[in-house]
Amino acid sequence: MASSSSRDVPDPGADPFCERSLPCFSLSRRILGARFRFVSNSEALLDLVDAAYGGVPEHRLPLSSPEIHIELRLLRGRLMPGASEPPLLRMQAGAGLLCGVMDPANYVILDPGKRQGLVVASEDMLGSPYHLRYEFIEFAVFVLAARVLGLIPLHGACVGRHGRGVLLLGASGSGKSTLALCSLLQGLDFLAEDAVFVHPQSLFATGIANYLHLQADALRFIDDHSVRRWINQAPLIRRRSGVQKFEADLRQGPGASAAVALALTGAVFVSGQAASDPDALLSPISRDELAARLRADQPYAAGQPGWAHFEQQLLQLGVHELRRGDHPRASVEALRSLLE
């Protein structure tokens, strides 16, 4: 019977915090106006970073550009219980740290004060690349960029032209993604479809033009066969809500992503209701109504530092409701009028 020595089997008591498992791979990217450096013990994890941020425009904002460090650590073995999809990421905060915990082997710890984060994932999470990329890596990047740079994180989309942009706000299912796609196909610059980050002092908006998420019914508005093929060939992902969507890679599709951060000229609340007059899709929202509507639509952002200044600036620019016309093309023309 073979015996094993302490040299053959590492003593976990000698390195209980895994401090000696140093990362050996690295990658740097400029994202959301900040310089990010990713280090990892796994090339596969850095491949997911590249899948998220490779080839996207490197926006700059009118403020200093600090470096933010994120370590991605892969744990060997299958440490998650078998399930159809990974458990939900549960949020916690304390002692200046922000945490997202899925289970003991899959979690995120962020320290905005020190501009750094740790993402830990078990090896079997590589079999759920969408959740690992979106709920771990992109979550860490979005939170750290917003907290370190003082940006307002908005759930919405943004399109523009000639360096000017308009926010697309509204409830899930109102048609923001379809409108963003149609804007892209009609020559507007695509900034972001799901998350927009605004510098509250300058009202410059930045985002990540990597993926577009569309439900199958959006295809009825697409006449171009090559665009329909691009969407139909995209992977299908399932949101935590249960909604299934195509995840189309914008870097392989038509149109142009916004090459620079966009100076906001206003915002619209995208409505699912049809306009009574097809020639009047836009209607201004009164200042008395707008503040409450903005806070109801963006409850997380409304609690962040800088919100009051952002809100006042947006009130001065003006916000409209955009109701549906006969075709999303009419809505795109309405957006163009706000970008002149």
Side-chain angles (χ1 to χ4, degrees), residues 2-12:
S3 62
S4 61
S5 68
S6 59
R7 292 184 180 180
D8 300 321
V9 180
D11 180 5

Side-chain angles (χ1 to χ4, degrees), residues 73-285:
R73 184 180 298 172
L74 189 69
L75 300 183
R76 302 304 177 188
R78 299 186 60 82
L79 302 179
M80 281 177 48
S84 58
E85 67 176 24
L88 288 171
L89 203 67
R90 294 166 294 174
M91 308 303 171
Q92 295 287 338
L97 303 176
L98 303 171
C99 304
V101 180
M102 182 176 283
D103 68 14
N106 296 277
Y107 54 87
V108 181
I109 302 174
L110 307 176
D111 187 343
K114 293 185 178 180
R115 303 195 298 272
Q116 61 187 13
L118 172 67
V119 174
V120 176
S122 58
E123 196 171 39
D124 53 325
M125 274 295 291
L126 293 173
S128 301
Y130 166 71
H131 291 96
L132 182 50
R133 190 199 77 230
Y134 184 73
E135 297 185 3
F136 283 72
I137 297 171
E138 294 190 43
F139 165 72
V141 167
F142 284 171
V143 171
L144 284 172
R147 297 296 177 102
V148 172
L149 299 180
L151 306 179
I152 302 298
L154 300 169
H155 174 60
C158 185
V159 297
R161 66 193 300 262
H162 304 317
R164 296 156 66 85
V166 59
L167 285 173
L168 310 181
L169 306 174
S172 296
S174 60
K176 297 187 297 295
S177 296
T178 301
L179 179 55
L181 170 62
C182 290
S183 298
L184 177 73
L185 297 179
Q186 292 186 63
L188 296 186
D189 294 332
F190 188 105
L191 183 88
E193 170 256 352
D194 190 47
V196 181
F197 297 81
V198 180
H199 182 235
Q201 285 72 38
S202 66
L203 279 194
F204 273 89
T206 182
I208 305 297
N210 50 9
Y211 297 101
L212 179 65
H213 299 93
L214 294 166
Q215 295 189 56
D217 63 356
L219 291 171
R220 70 184 189 274
F221 299 115
I222 308 303
D223 300 323
D224 189 310
H225 293 296
S226 64
V227 175
R228 292 176 66 92
R229 184 168 58 252
W230 166 60
I231 296 171
N232 272 314
Q233 292 176 347
L236 281 171
I237 58 95
R238 186 179 298 276
R239 295 288 203 190
R240 290 295 191 174
S241 63
V243 175
Q244 190 167 264
K245 294 188 175 185
F246 292 106
E247 187 177 61
D249 193 330
L250 288 158
R251 294 157 291 187
Q252 300 173 7
S257 298
V260 298
L262 300 179
L264 293 181
T265 63
V268 300
F269 277 91
V270 180
S271 171
Q273 295 182 342
S276 56
D277 182 351
D279 295 322
L281 305 186
L282 287 171
S283 58
I285 300 174

